[in-house]
Amino acid sequence: MIQFFFALGGMVFGLSCLNHFESNTPFRGLYFVEKLVRRLIRILPVYGFVIFYHATWYKRVKRGPLEFKFYDYCSEHWWTNVLFINNYVLPTKPCLQYGWYLGADLHLFLISSLLLMLVWRFPRTKQTVAAIMAFVALAVPAFVIYTNSTAATMTFDMRHALAELRTYEHFIKYYLPSHTNVSGYFFGVIAAMTYKGVVAGEYQHRVQTVLQRAFATCTIALVGLNAFTMVLPSLDSNPNWSIFLAVYGSLLKGSWGLSYGVLFLVLGLKRKSLLVDFLSHPLMHCLAKLSYCIYIAQYSVIYGVYTNFPIPLMYGTFNLPLFYSRSSALFCFTWL
């Protein structure tokens, strides 16, 4: 699911830059510096407030038998988040563990800025840059899996508690780093390039059917690759399968980003669609602007609820609705 947000971020950023390039504005490297500054202005105020809360008041709300599983290191390692290096530096003792995404997203934003700067300065390199991005998107994850002898994808160890995930080797070496998540972001940028090329050439009618078939093919491949995870436990311990697992893991991660990119193209080029109309509604625009704050604040509420349960939480038909209703009520209260 996380690849959806990387792909979406890559496409939005790509479209924003390409639209600016087409306005016949002279090349200016400071354009990307300004975009970086605006991004930091949007991110840091709320991010800093939540970090401050976890470094100070959060320790006072923890009560109950589950509090040890939600220990936060914000009072010691807050600076890794502020510098957006928390997915590389001290990842086993994180401040706001879910904040790793912001670091990875910023790193991919910077890398893509350099590549799009090249496209802006030398427009003829667009196809070459897109090809390089596609190659890197598939090669880097495979290289990491092979050289680190790590699993091809996250296994059922995901069911472990949060504190154990922090020391889970695959989570640290393959899930958190920015360079292993390039596929989603890069395929999003490539989708933006494709979209602008189709619109500029007025090929919408011709490519719509092709894109729909491509999306169907990507979906089938995605389902097949994910279904193959059922046999992974029998292969992970066999060194003879290391190259195969590296290629498989890369294709699995890349298929998510590619599928999302093709889906965005299908929806973006479709003239009439109930889904597109729904997503384009002003209410959805408002919710989209609030989504970042919700993302940053939600775990503080969830942590507070979990750590204040006086008895171990048992999942069942009664306790689950009770838990989520309580979480929702507390979350809404935090917005009042």
Side-chain angles (χ1 to χ4, degrees), residues 120-330:
W120 189 11
R121 183 66 180 84
F122 306 101
R124 294 183 179 180
T125 63
K126 181 184 293 186
Q127 293 182 351
T128 302
V129 170
I132 292 174
M133 293 174 75
F135 173 77
V136 171
L138 296 174
V140 171
F143 178 78
V144 172
I145 293 173
Y146 182 76
T147 55
N148 288 283
S149 299
T150 187
T153 187
M154 191 78 78
T155 63
F156 289 108
D157 291 328
M158 276 290 291
R159 290 182 294 183
H160 290 323
L162 181 65
E164 295 178 9
L165 268 181
R166 294 171 174 173
T167 57
Y168 182 31
E169 183 181 20
H170 186 276
F171 184 74
I172 299 298
K173 292 184 177 180
Y174 189 68
Y175 193 83
L176 295 186
S178 307
H179 58 278
T180 58
N181 287 288
V182 293
S183 56
Y185 206 94
F186 277 9
F187 280 126
V189 176
I190 293 172
M193 293 180 177
T194 305
Y195 176 84
K196 296 301 295 183
V198 171
V199 171
E202 298 183 353
Y203 302 136
Q204 292 95 319
H205 298 294
R206 301 179 187 177
V207 303
Q208 189 62 242
T209 303
V210 175
L211 285 174
Q212 290 176 352
R213 292 177 179 174
F215 179 67
T217 302
C218 289
T219 302
I220 294 172
L222 185 63
V223 172
L225 288 168
N226 279 275
F228 189 77
T229 57
M230 292 185 292
V231 302
L232 279 184
S234 62
L235 301 178
D236 282 339
S237 59
N238 191 338
N240 296 326
W241 290 91
S242 56
I243 296 179
F244 170 80
L245 291 174
V247 174
Y248 166 75
S250 175
L251 291 176
L252 177 61
K253 177 165 280 192
S255 64
W256 284 104
L258 179 61
S259 298
Y260 288 133
V262 176
L263 174 62
F264 297 154
L265 283 173
V266 171
L267 295 176
L269 295 172
K270 204 167 187 177
R271 290 189 173 183
K272 293 183 179 180
S273 170
L274 292 177
L275 179 59
V276 173
D277 292 340
F278 172 74
L279 295 176
S280 302
H281 193 275
L283 177 61
M284 297 302 295
H285 290 181
C286 179
L287 292 176
K289 293 179 179 179
L290 293 175
S291 61
Y292 168 66
C293 293
I294 295 173
Y295 160 73
I296 290 295
Q298 63 170 322
Y299 280 99
S300 299
V301 178
I302 294 174
Y303 291 174
V305 172
Y306 263 119
T307 57
N308 278 275
F309 270 101
I311 58 175
L313 181 63
M314 303 296 293
Y315 289 89
T317 55
F318 175 76
N319 287 332
L320 277 180
L322 177 64
F323 168 73
Y324 285 114
S325 61
R326 181 180 176 184
S327 299
S328 301
L330 285 174

